[in-house]
Structure formats: C-alpha cells, structure tokens
C-alpha cells in the first residue's frame, strides 16, 4: 500500500553471463518494470567489464567494444517512455567497486573510447540545432529532444525554453518583438 513515485534499478554488468548482456534481454527486463506504469531510473550503471575475480579465460571487451555496448545501452534506456534518468557509476578505471575497467576515463584521467562515444551521443546525436525560416505569421515548428533551447529570431527578443518528459507533446513559444 505504500505509494511509489519512481522505480529504480541498478545496472552493473559483469562480463560472465553473455545472455544477460543482450539488448533484447535488457529491454524485456526494463519493460517488466515499465508495466507498473511508473517513471523509472537507472540509479547505478557500469558497462560490461571484468571484475577483480573474473577468470582470465573469459574474453575481455576492447575499449571500442565497451564503448559501442554503452552507446547501445544508453540508446535503449532512453528509448523507453517511462525512463527518466541514468546515473553513471564508475568514472575512472579501478577507482570504485569490483570493475577495474568499468570507467569512461583511464586511471590517469585520459578519456577512453566510451567517453568519446557518450560525448558524441549526448552532444551531437541527441541534440537539436534547428535553423529555418519563420512562417509569415512568425511561427516555426520543429521536432526536438527534451532539454533546454535558446530560441532566437530576427526582430524578436531571444528566449530560453525547457522541454521535459511529461510536457504536452506540442509546445507553443511566443517571442516578444525586439
């Protein structure tokens, strides 16, 4: 009978169980939580990596494979309409938990392939930079990702607009004449 506002799950991926690393299996698992009809958060995430006790016979992922896997995981997680956040757990290799290769940065602070993949995904792929003409009535429309936008148009004062999950699917923004 306790009310729930949001569901959280941890997503620490070891390398041992290959079946659990398949996006199809992860998607099905997330959807089981999504069936509750509540927003959801991944409260801790690290990509597949060797733990300190992983046998040497288990193949390691290269930095590039780890980056590609994380890009697929982030894309899957944020494709779910009930998902609200994902918190990265390890920033540096070897500085936390049982996954010495689970960071986006090497121990010396240099970026790994995953750092560059995540930066591109967040700053380029999931960013909207729209430029185009206004309609005769001054209106314009575009499809974009949730986030903060700087809206500028010649002859009008600029305005900052934030679009969030849960907002109406269409938003109208009115600019004041300059």
């Amino acid at each position: 009978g306790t009310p729930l506002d949001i569901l959280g799950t941890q997503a620490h991926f070891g390398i041992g169980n290959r079946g659990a690393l398949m996006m199809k299996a992860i998607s099905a698992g997330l959807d089981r939580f999504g069936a509750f009809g509540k927003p959801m958060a991944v409260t801790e995430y690290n990509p597949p990596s060797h733990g300190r006790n992983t046998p040497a016979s288990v193949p390691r992922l290269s930095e590039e494979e780890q980056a590609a896997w994380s890009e697929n995981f982030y894309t899957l997680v944020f494709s779910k309409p009930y998902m609200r956040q994902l918190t990265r757990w390890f920033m540096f290799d070897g500085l936390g938990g049982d996954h010495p290769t689970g960071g986006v940065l090497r121990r010396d602070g240099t970026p790994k392939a995953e750092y560059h993949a995540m930066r591109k995904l967040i700053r380029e792929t999931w960013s909207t930079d729209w430029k185009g003409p206004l309609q005769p009535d001054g209106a314009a429309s575009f499809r974009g990702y949730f986030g903060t936008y700087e809206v500028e148009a010649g002859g009008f004062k600029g305005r900052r607009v934030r679009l969030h999950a849960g907002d109406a699917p269409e938003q109208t923004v009115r600019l004041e004449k300059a």
Side-chain angles (χ1 to χ4, degrees):
T2 302
L4 294 173
D5 295 325
I6 190 166
L7 297 172
T9 187
Q10 294 182 5
H12 297 288
F13 293 97
I15 201 78
N17 183 352
R18 296 285 179 162
L21 299 178
M22 304 304 289
M23 293 300 151
K24 182 176 181 179
I26 294 167
S27 181
L30 291 174
D31 287 344
R32 289 182 71 189
F33 285 108
F36 287 104
K38 297 289 183 178
M40 189 173 171
V42 175
T43 60
E44 298 179 13
Y45 163 72
N46 67 277
S49 58
H50 271 69
R52 295 191 201 304
N53 297 320
T54 305
S57 60
V58 176
R60 294 185 180 271
L61 293 180
S62 69
E63 284 190 10
E64 291 72 21
E65 290 169 326
Q66 195 178 57
W69 195 93
S70 283
E71 186 173 351
N72 288 336
F73 181 75
Y74 273 65
T75 301
L76 171 65
V77 166
F78 287 114
S79 74
K80 303 296 184 179
Y82 47 80
M83 193 58 67
R84 296 297 179 266
Q85 73 182 43
L86 186 155
T87 302
R88 178 59 192 234
W89 196 242
F90 300 114
M91 291 304 295
F92 291 89
D93 281 349
L95 297 178
D98 185 38
H99 293 270
T101 61
V104 292
L105 303 171
R106 293 179 195 90
R107 206 174 170 104
D108 66 3
T110 57
K112 293 170 59 176
E114 185 180 355
Y115 171 90
H116 297 292
M118 294 302 96
R119 182 177 173 83
K120 183 178 182 198
L121 188 64
I122 294 166
R123 295 273 180 114
E124 295 175 28
T125 306
W126 290 347
S127 291
T128 304
D129 185 13
W130 182 86
K131 291 179 172 68
L134 295 175
Q135 296 172 7
D137 65 355
S141 64
F142 76 96
R143 288 180 54 106
Y145 291 94
F146 297 129
T148 302
Y149 291 88
E150 298 289 336
V151 181
E152 298 174 353
F156 294 90
K157 293 179 184 176
R159 184 166 167 206
R160 180 174 285 184
V161 178
R162 292 188 178 161
L163 304 176
H164 298 282
D167 289 346
E170 293 185 17
Q171 300 289 320
T172 301
V173 176
R174 305 231 185 269
L175 300 179
E176 294 179 38
K177 294 251 183 204

